[in-house]
């Protein structure tokens, strides 16, 4: 149903014992837009992603994807997840992993063409554990796209990538936006958020502390200055 | 350039589950350590039992069916625990749970992969045991007991493996699963009959799933029916599933 946003998070709260991971977080991601989540380690980004995929239940609040609850069988094919680290068997090759993932969807992308596009083909037969961090990220990105989703969740998509691969990934994210996908991007890289995001949310201690378009937010200060001023990292 | 226009949809359930089962089975067979557990050790015990067993008081008609029990235990418990522990650690479970495979499909695919590997093991080991001279004599009622006990024990072993792998760190799961493999093989009445264990352990061990399976299989070389195996195996299967459902965590 087109009137529902791709992702709507309202007053989301999750605690693990005495540790508060999400503390009344609100967020909205729309189709055809890149929404960036900026936050220090421990800000609650990974917890939010787990809650969005249905692996974690909220203590309070509500999450809906395309108007449906997380983990709903009709939602899962519509969302592609690119995990932050690994997410693959150590002995599987990139070609085998992507072929496996493609069999889970009704109209997957052609795996060979996808690997060509992301320049995975050269190491397609190498076991995942022998790939560099950047190569693993490229495979993970391909895995998020193979099912032709309406929304992708990219958890620090360019960490470990060399500058060429990084720019290639940026161009791909722009193409995803042009194709009408909702892109939810978590990143530590200010230049990445600045280059790609339509809307930026700065997250700290489980809640959004600052939101706006890049142009609005950077009117007087750089994104990094705002990040440092509004988050409580070790810096 | 590839067309990135969204066209989402889930594959037919059977296709997704079968794809997962095939991938897991392929990865398991490619792993040297797992292959050691699944085939090399059972074959070595079978050969040792045939050519050296009698010298140490182990008749081959008891060793052969016991080895089948060891093979079932190695696939259903040890391999499942180790593989799942690392799948959880590497984020494989988290990633696949967020695909149309879903958590239920992941568990079904894993179960089918265990059954595929186990079927291959049993065909090879039974063939080798027959070549080496094993001649089972049990009647239909004992074979029925063996079938139900083996299925229930497989469920129990897989469930206990998931409870272990879904709770502990992967390295600890690896160490504990290998240790339990040795302990259960030697002291869990899997390879050695309950009656040969010292008391009071002999009485206690009779109520474990490994003993239920071992005793049921060994009775195929005799003319008696091991009815106790059935309730023991079924209760462990039920308890194991309840424990796994409660304890298993998808993320590490």
């Amino acid at each position: 149903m087109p009137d529902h946003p791709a992702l709507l998070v309202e007053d989301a709260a999750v605690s693990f014992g005495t540790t508060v991971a999400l503390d009344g977080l609100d967020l909205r991601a729309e189709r055809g837009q890149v929404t960036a989540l900026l936050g220090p380690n421990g800000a609650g980004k990974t917890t939010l992603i787990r809650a969005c995929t249905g692996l974690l239940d909220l203590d309070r609040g509500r999450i809906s994807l395309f108007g449906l609850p997380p983990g709903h069988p009709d939602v899962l094919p519509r969302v592609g997840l690119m995990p932050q680290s690994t997410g693959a068997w150590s002995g599987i090759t990139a070609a085998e992993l992507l072929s496996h993932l493609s069999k889970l969807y009704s109209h997957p992308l052609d795996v060979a063409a996808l690997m060509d596009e992301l320049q995975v083909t050269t190491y397609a037969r190498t076991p995942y554990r022998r790939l560099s961090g950047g190569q693993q990220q490229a495979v993970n990105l391909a895995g998020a796209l193979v099912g032709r989703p309406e929304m992708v969740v990219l958890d620090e998509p360019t960490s470990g990538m060399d500058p060429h691969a990084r720019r290639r990934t940026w161009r791909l994210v722009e193409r995803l936006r042009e194709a009408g996908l909702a892109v939810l991007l978590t990143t530590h890289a200010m230049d990445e958020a600045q280059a790609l995001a339509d809307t930026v949310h700065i997250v700290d201690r489980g809640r959004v502390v600052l939101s706006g378009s890049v142009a609005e937010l950077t009117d007087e200060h750089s994104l990094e200055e705002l990040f440092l001023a509004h988050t409580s990292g070790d810096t | 350039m590839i067309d990135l226009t969204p066209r989402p949809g889930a594959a037919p359930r059977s296709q997704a589950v079968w794809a997962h089962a095939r991938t897991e089975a392929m990865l398991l067979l490619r792993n040297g350590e797992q292959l050691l557990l699944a085939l090399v050790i059972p074959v070595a015990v079978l050969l040792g039992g045939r050519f050296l067993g009698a010298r140490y008081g182990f008749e081959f008609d008891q060793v052969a069916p016991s080895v089948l029990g060891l093979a079932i235990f190695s696939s259903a418990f040890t391999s499942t625990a180790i593989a799942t522990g690392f799948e959880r650690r590497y984020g494989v479970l988290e990633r696949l749970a967020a695909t149309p495979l879903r958590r239920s499909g992941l568990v079904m695919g894993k179960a089918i992969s265990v059954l595929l590997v186990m079927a291959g093991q049993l065909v090879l080991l039974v063939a080798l045991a027959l070549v080496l001279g094993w001649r089972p004599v049990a009647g239909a009622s004992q074979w029925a007991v063996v079938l139900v006990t083996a299925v229930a024990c497989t469920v129990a072993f897989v469930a206990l493996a998931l409870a272990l792998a879904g709770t502990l760190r992967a390295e600890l799961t690896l160490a504990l699963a290998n240790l339990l493999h040795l302990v259960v093989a030697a002291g869990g009445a899997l390879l050695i009959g309950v009656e040969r264990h010292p008391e009071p352990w002999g009485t206690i061990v009779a109520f474990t799933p490994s003993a239920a399976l071992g005793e049921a299989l060994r009775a195929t070389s005799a003319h008696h029916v091991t009815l106790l195996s059935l309730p023991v195996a079924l209760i462990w299967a039920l308890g194991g599933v309840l424990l796994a459902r409660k304890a298993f965590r998808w993320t590490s």
Side-chain angles (χ1 to χ4, degrees):
Chain A
M1 288 188 282
D3 46 333
H4 289 293
L7 171 67
L8 184 63
V9 183
E10 296 170 303
D11 192 29
V14 174
S15 295
F16 303 107
T18 55
T19 306
V20 177
L22 295 181
D23 185 17
L25 188 139
D26 295 295
L27 186 73
R28 191 182 177 98
E30 300 284 359
R31 294 170 180 82
Q33 290 201 5
V34 177
T35 306
L37 279 185
L38 283 177
N41 292 329
K45 302 188 295 292
T46 300
T47 302
L48 176 66
I49 290 173
R50 285 178 174 173
C52 289
T53 56
L55 275 178
L56 259 180
D57 292 327
L58 298 179
D59 299 336
R60 191 185 77 225
R62 186 172 155 270
I63 294 178
S64 71
L65 297 113
F66 305 101
L68 294 166
H72 190 285
D74 293 338
V75 162
L76 292 171
R78 300 170 76 174
V79 181
L81 170 68
M82 176 187 178
Q84 184 184 339
S85 58
T86 54
W89 292 276
S90 65
I92 201 165
T93 67
E96 288 166 344
L97 177 66
L98 294 174
S99 165
H100 173 62
L101 290 172
S102 74
K103 292 189 179 87
L104 310 180
Y105 297 91
S106 58
H107 303 97
L109 292 172
D110 180 73
V111 170
L114 180 62
M115 289 197 300
D116 267 351
E117 183 96 15
L118 291 175
Q119 301 196 4
V120 169
T121 310
T122 47
Y123 48 86
R125 309 278 162 209
T126 307
Y128 190 85
R129 65 174 176 276
R130 298 215 185 109
L131 301 178
S132 71
Q135 289 172 333
Q136 289 185 353
Q137 288 296 77
V139 175
N140 289 340
L141 180 57
L145 302 181
V146 74
R148 305 186 71 169
E150 286 177 81
M151 174 176 170
V152 282
V153 179
L154 310 178
D155 197 0
E156 298 187 18
T158 58
S159 65
M161 283 187 179
D162 66 46
H164 290 292
R166 195 161 181 252
R167 291 295 166 141
R168 205 161 44 237
T169 302
W170 286 12
R171 287 195 293 276
L172 187 68
V173 170
E174 281 161 1
R175 282 179 52 208
L176 292 172
R177 172 174 45 203
E178 286 159 17
L181 278 83
V183 180
L184 181 66
L185 173 83
T186 78
T187 183
H188 288 301
M190 304 298 146
D191 59 339
E192 187 161 289
Q194 195 137 1
L196 296 176
D198 297 289
T199 309
V200 173
H201 300 279
I202 296 180
V203 181
D204 188 46
R205 296 184 179 176
R207 52 172 47 221
V208 173
V209 291
L210 200 64
S211 294
S213 69
V214 172
E216 287 165 2
L217 292 176
T218 56
D219 195 25
E220 290 182 14
H221 302 281
S222 73
L223 211 47
E224 184 155 333
E225 284 169 342
L226 287 171
F227 181 88
L228 293 171
H230 287 87
T231 59
S232 50
D234 300 328
T235 44
Chain B
M1 275 206 275
I2 51 173
D3 177 13
L4 296 168
T5 310
R7 202 178 172 195
R13 196 88 183 114
S14 56
Q15 178 188 315
V17 169
W18 181 239
H20 189 69
R22 284 181 56 180
T23 300
E24 285 224 9
M26 171 193 80
L27 291 169
L28 196 139
L29 293 175
R30 196 185 281 172
N31 183 313
E33 188 193 351
Q34 306 277 23
L35 213 54
L36 188 78
L37 282 172
L39 269 186
V40 178
I41 293 175
V43 166
V45 176
L46 206 53
L47 291 172
R50 171 66 183 82
F51 297 109
L52 302 170
R55 203 180 296 175
Y56 301 99
F58 293 103
E59 298 304 324
F60 187 62
D61 67 350
Q62 297 293 291
V63 173
S66 297
V67 167
L68 302 182
L70 180 69
I72 290 172
F73 182 70
S74 72
S75 284
F77 179 79
T78 319
S79 292
T80 303
I82 294 169
T84 310
F86 282 96
E87 283 171 359
R88 182 167 155 257
R89 147 91 169 271
Y90 292 142
V92 178
L93 301 180
E94 189 171 348
R95 174 189 221 144
L96 291 175
T99 68
L101 182 63
R102 311 204 302 270
R103 284 179 269 188
S104 57
L106 209 157
V107 172
M108 276 192 279
K110 189 175 278 297
I112 293 171
S113 119
V114 169
L115 291 177
L116 284 176
V117 173
M118 200 184 284
Q121 273 179 301
L122 292 179
V123 166
L124 282 171
L125 291 171
V126 166
L128 181 60
L130 291 173
V131 167
L132 293 173
W134 179 43
R135 296 291 177 265
V137 295
S141 49
Q142 181 56 24
W143 282 113
V145 169
V146 167
L147 185 67
V148 176
T149 303
V151 170
C153 283
T154 300
V155 172
F157 294 147
V158 168
L160 293 171
L162 293 180
L164 191 71
T167 317
L168 303 177
R169 284 191 301 115
E171 293 79 1
L172 202 54
T173 299
L174 173 70
L176 211 54
N178 279 323
L179 181 67
L180 281 171
H181 188 84
L182 294 175
V183 169
V184 170
L190 199 54
L191 283 178
I192 302 167
V194 165
E195 75 286 351
R196 299 178 74 153
H197 288 70
E199 290 300 336
W201 181 241
T203 305
I204 297 167
V205 83
F207 294 95
T208 62
S210 51
L213 182 61
E215 292 300 300
L217 284 164
R218 277 186 289 276
T220 58
S221 294
H223 288 284
H224 66 276
V225 177
T226 55
L227 283 177
L228 178 65
S229 297
L230 289 174
V232 170
L234 291 168
I235 288 169
W236 275 93
L238 182 66
V241 169
L242 292 175
L243 179 68
R245 282 179 69 98
K246 190 161 179 58
F248 193 80
R249 292 199 313 266
W250 293 81
T251 56
S252 61

